[in-house]
Amino acid sequence: MSELKELSDLSQQVSDLYAARFGIERDATWHLAKLTEELGELQAAYLKMAGQARTTSCPADLRRAMEDEAADVFAQLLLFADWQEIDLKEALRQKWAPYLE
């Protein structure tokens, strides 16, 4: 099993628990809203780490928060891709590889 597939499966399992716990129907609105929400949280974490937003946290905690938010964005992207049956590895190759030719 590929590492990306393992991460996608992990994301799906956690998402299933989250949806069951809070009674969430994961439809188009949910998938895109969660991806947008997590991207906003990544931006906020980065701005704090870069000293461009107020915080009382230490640099190590700020770095960890940014890493956590990057993981959330990635997990939500994996969930969206799985929901839309997008092979991210192939999509990336199709989109980016031609620039190297």
Side-chain angles (χ1 to χ4, degrees):
M1 182 182 290
S2 77
E3 191 170 333
L4 190 58
K5 174 70 171 129
E6 289 176 20
L7 294 172
S8 183
D9 290 348
L10 171 69
S11 299
Q12 189 63 53
Q13 290 171 6
V14 173
S15 181
D16 289 347
L17 290 171
Y18 181 85
R21 179 178 297 156
F22 297 104
I24 295 170
E25 180 182 336
R26 292 168 291 175
D27 57 8
T29 300
W30 183 85
H31 281 284
L32 293 172
K34 281 301 285 182
L35 189 54
T36 302
E37 173 191 346
E38 297 301 347
L39 188 56
E41 290 174 2
L42 175 60
Q43 180 180 14
Y46 171 78
L47 291 173
K48 288 177 183 178
M49 196 185 79
Q52 297 177 344
R54 287 184 231 165
T55 184
T56 58
S57 298
C58 71
D61 289 345
L62 293 172
R63 176 68 187 191
R64 177 57 194 254
M66 187 180 71
E67 291 171 355
D68 287 350
E69 295 306 335
D72 287 349
V73 169
F74 186 60
Q76 290 302 325
L77 180 59
L78 290 172
L79 290 168
F80 177 82
D82 186 56
W83 175 64
Q84 286 297 301
E85 299 178 1
I86 297 169
D87 179 340
L88 282 175
K89 287 169 69 174
E90 185 58 29
L92 183 69
R93 284 187 190 109
Q94 288 177 12
K95 173 70 177 177
W96 289 67
Y99 292 106
L100 299 177
E101 295 173 359

